[in-house]
Amino acid sequence: MSARPVMRGGLRLDGHKSRPLEHPLIRAAPPRVALLALDQGSGEDAEPLVAAGTAVRVGTRVAAGRVSSVDLHSPVSGVVRELALLPTPQGMGRCLVIDGDGRDEPDPALAPLDWQALDSADLIERLATGGIAGLGGAAFPAAAKLGLGREAGVDRLLLNGAECEPWICCDDALMRERAAQVVTGAKVMLAACGAERGTIAVEDDKPQAITALAAAIASCGDDRIEVIALPSVFPLGAEGPLIAAVTGREVPHDGLPPQVGVVCQNVGTAAAVARLVSDGMPCVSRIVTVTGSGVRRPANVEARIGTPIAELVAACDGYADDPSPRYLIAGGSLTGRALATDTAGLTKGLNCVLVATEGDLQPRGVEMPCIRCGDCATVCPAGLLPQQLHRAARSDDADGLVRLGLADCIECGCCDYVCPSAIPLTSRFRVARERRRRHEEERRRAAEARVRHERHQQRLAAESERERQAFEDARRRARGGTAPSEPRPDASRGPDTD
């Protein structure tokens, strides 16, 4: 292990992680009814492959991934009830509702994968059909990232075990209890992307995880893989800051990590890869932290994808008998989003369910005018000027937002946390980014419509010219003339002779 320089900006925060880590992992029972969201957190729906009445088993493929979505597999054995619009951790979304039969039978087509006998392209394809997603929160297809890395000729596979946000500790629990799976997954992904080295980055407030990983690496005898300790600073676990801290390479705001020679994956993703190759089981479960003062026994729970959040809380002995208001949050206290209901199903991108009371959250005061203290700029890990970005966002200054680097904002919430004027900077930036995305989409559609209109006009003009020519030819024939399409005799040549 070796120390690395800390990133710029950031915050040192109380982790609130000790209580869930007091207990071993809890394995939740398979849900009676699985609510499988077609959007698992990447922002794009998978295409359903089953209809109501279809019988499925655990691991049966039920939806096909697209560009940024992954294949989905049934987390239970039973029958598909319907495709319905239901609450999800991302909001309302289309979900496959699967009634479990209680037998939990695996699909007979599942089998271990001899990954060492496959070339990288075939291995990446098998990971894609296994529905392996980024389990750190983004849920982007892991196979797509590995494929981009292979094409770019990356030299480093970086496994993210930093888990820097308060309250979230599912990766810590995984690394403590299943370090061998993480290392096996790293070896498989090294083969898939062709990188020469693998680095598992863990914050130094996780000594048990670091020790377990070091032992697993020593046991496997693969000297390409190392574990390094990083300072416990939020948001060091974000992809860009982590790559910069480990490698010293800056990912361009309009670029991807493979452009600087790195493929970044979550340690949970690596463990899912290990399960796929060892027993053939696709990604049908994950570990999620269920925590907060609103839960009787905070814990890390291994649960099937599609398990209703209410059942996750029940696995932790239910809600606490606290009369104060409860706030249900998908994710941590800084980057998480409010949940309107606990009926939503667990997704691959959901790493924490925070059942918070008022004492768990930093109270937000009444918003006041910016006093230009500069605290937000001091803590910004992207090196931005949030106060100036805020002015541009409030005035809808598109050019100013581009010039000031809105695209570089990682929406970590550091600026919100330190703002003495209680300005909701991150949410304003998120709205400005969405507004800009809509404007760009409208501009793109307008350009496409203009091209379609111009092509349509060209077709109409061509058809009109053909009709005019046909009319002229017909009129000449009617007058006894010769149509232009027929060759005319050349008077200058005289009569033809043999």
Side-chain angles (χ1 to χ4, degrees), residues 31-390:
R32 296 180 295 276
V33 179
L35 308 175
L36 196 61
L38 295 182
D39 175 10
Q40 287 289 303
S42 67
E44 181 183 58
D45 283 8
E47 183 65 30
L49 301 176
V50 293
T54 303
V56 295
R57 295 182 180 179
V58 180
T60 300
R61 187 168 177 250
V62 295
R66 296 178 179 174
V67 176
S68 61
S69 57
V70 292
D71 285 5
L72 299 180
H73 303 78
S74 177
V76 295
S77 59
V79 178
V80 177
R81 182 198 301 176
E82 61 179 340
L83 176 63
L85 189 66
L86 297 171
T88 75
Q90 291 78 243
M92 297 298 291
R94 295 191 301 159
C95 300
L96 285 170
V97 181
I98 304 175
D99 291 318
D101 57 16
R103 293 195 289 267
D104 209 35
E105 297 175 340
D107 192 298
L110 302 181
L113 179 62
D114 185 7
W115 61 273
Q116 292 173 313
L118 300 174
D119 63 26
S120 60
D122 290 338
L123 180 54
I124 288 172
E125 177 61 27
R126 295 299 296 272
L127 296 181
T129 57
I132 306 296
L135 300 185
F140 191 80
K145 294 176 73 171
L146 292 168
L148 289 173
R150 181 170 58 87
E151 293 171 5
V154 299
D155 59 24
R156 181 81 70 100
L157 169 69
L158 177 57
L159 293 189
N160 186 350
E163 198 170 45
C164 56
E165 183 159 1
W167 302 99
I168 308 174
C169 54
C170 54
D171 288 345
D172 192 355
L174 168 70
M175 291 184 289
R176 292 184 186 195
E177 299 192 27
R178 300 178 185 173
Q181 285 189 354
V182 175
V183 174
T184 298
K187 293 171 62 176
V188 176
M189 290 193 284
L190 280 172
C193 69
E196 299 171 355
R197 296 176 58 194
T199 300
I200 307 173
V202 185
E203 287 189 318
D204 57 13
D205 63 348
K206 302 173 178 61
Q208 291 175 268
I210 293 171
T211 300
L213 288 169
I217 293 170
S219 177
C220 80
D222 194 331
D223 59 6
R224 297 174 302 165
I225 303 173
E226 64 174 346
V227 57
I228 65 171
L230 297 171
S232 178
V233 181
F234 177 82
L236 190 57
E239 189 174 69
L242 185 67
I243 291 172
V246 173
T247 69
R249 307 170 191 174
E250 292 277 351
V251 180
H253 73 82
D254 57 349
L256 296 171
Q259 293 178 232
V260 296
V262 179
V263 169
C264 189
Q265 299 280 9
N266 180 260
V267 290
T269 307
V273 169
R275 289 193 295 272
L276 176 67
V277 300
S278 64
D279 56 20
M281 183 59 68
C283 185
V284 296
S285 65
R286 68 155 299 144
I287 298 171
V288 55
T289 301
V290 182
T291 187
S293 298
V295 176
R296 279 201 178 98
R297 185 165 67 108
N300 289 290
V301 181
E302 184 174 22
R304 303 286 176 89
I305 305 301
T307 301
I309 289 173
E311 294 183 26
L312 300 178
V313 176
C316 298
D317 295 342
Y319 292 108
D321 297 325
D322 190 333
S324 62
R326 288 194 297 258
Y327 304 91
L328 203 57
I329 300 172
S333 56
L334 288 168
T335 64
R337 299 191 180 221
L339 285 168
T341 174
D342 62 3
T343 61
L346 175 66
T347 60
K348 297 179 183 182
L350 182 60
N351 54 9
C352 178
V353 176
L354 175 56
V355 187
T357 61
E358 291 183 353
D360 295 330
L361 304 175
Q362 180 183 6
R364 180 179 292 279
V366 178
E367 182 179 346
M368 302 291 287
C370 174
I371 61 173
R372 296 188 172 275
C373 63
D375 288 354
C376 56
T378 300
V379 300
C380 179
L384 304 179
L385 299 172
Q387 73 275 27
Q388 294 190 23
L389 270 171
H390 181 245

